[in-house]
Amino acid sequence: MTDIQETYVTTGATVWLTGLPSAGKTTIAHELAGRLRAEGHRVEVLDGDKIREFISAGLGFSRADRHTNVQRIGFLAELLARNGVKTLVPVIAPYADSREAVRKRHQDSGAPYIEVHVATPVEVCAVRDVKGLYAKQAAGELRGLTGVDDPYEEPHTPDLRIESQNQTVQESAAAVYTLLSERGLA
């Protein structure tokens, strides 16, 4: 019988990517996840759409429901991070107080937390329109679209601000990777 050596890097952290719909959050998260996994890190991507489908099914898009959704995701992220997983969270999380509560949860447990604002302008997001949300809103078929007819409170002091319209996905992911490295997390 041979010894199996653990090859995973065990320092966990949460990287919270916030921004408007179609800003590039999920694309950047998956690019970064691939790089981290290739280096032996344990990585999970907590995609907002998947969480809504499985963990937050039944929640609507009122301020209270959005807050509840963000807190559920924050709980999962902190749990994973303090157990050695790099947890990448591409979620709109439109309200500053909700994001601050997640940051505090991480601080209280000692789990590293990095907030990344994917600061893509709404005009660029509307052109990308990955899920067709902007087109539906413009046609009057959708109300409450974050950044259009529902608020998005931009982070005032994120750990990193990415303007995805000015760089490639690889460059955006590399910027997050650099920050993780500078903090001893990659």
Side-chain angles (χ1 to χ4, degrees), residues 5-181:
Q5 184 175 5
E6 183 78 23
T7 59
Y8 289 111
V9 179
T10 58
T11 303
T14 293
V15 177
W16 195 280
L17 297 104
T18 180
L20 296 174
S22 296
K25 303 175 299 295
T26 302
T27 305
I28 293 166
H30 284 289
E31 179 71 22
L32 178 59
R35 180 171 183 181
L36 291 169
R37 284 186 185 114
E39 293 182 357
H41 294 268
R42 294 177 8 191
V43 180
E44 289 294 334
V45 177
L46 298 181
D47 181 271
D49 291 335
K50 298 282 188 216
I51 296 291
R52 273 202 173 269
E53 182 180 352
F54 294 104
I55 307 268
S56 294
L59 288 180
F61 292 91
S62 67
R63 184 179 180 102
D65 282 356
R66 288 177 191 245
H67 179 77
T68 297
N69 185 50
V70 167
Q71 295 316 297
R72 288 176 182 177
I73 297 168
F75 171 81
L76 288 172
E78 184 271 332
L79 180 69
L80 289 166
R82 74 180 152 86
N83 282 283
V85 178
K86 298 288 186 303
T87 309
L88 311 180
V89 186
V91 175
I92 296 169
Y95 301 114
D97 60 340
S98 297
R99 294 188 307 265
E100 186 54 36
V102 171
R103 179 186 294 276
K104 184 173 182 342
R105 169 182 290 286
H106 281 74
Q107 287 172 339
D108 290 349
S109 76
Y113 178 86
I114 294 173
E115 183 179 70
V116 177
H117 180 205
V118 183
T120 310
V122 69
E123 300 79 18
V124 174
C125 294
V127 169
R128 289 179 181 171
D129 204 8
V130 177
K131 299 173 193 161
L133 299 175
Y134 293 93
K136 287 180 182 175
Q137 193 277 335
E141 300 169 12
L142 176 69
R143 294 189 44 160
L145 181 58
T146 302
V148 177
D149 59 352
D150 209 54
Y152 177 75
E153 299 170 358
E154 290 191 8
H156 293 293
T157 56
D159 297 290
L160 178 65
R161 186 176 316 276
I162 291 175
E163 294 181 2
S164 71
Q165 75 280 9
N166 296 329
Q167 58 192 44
T168 67
V169 171
Q170 294 76 18
E171 290 168 334
S172 295
V176 181
Y177 182 88
T178 298
L179 181 58
L180 284 167
S181 294

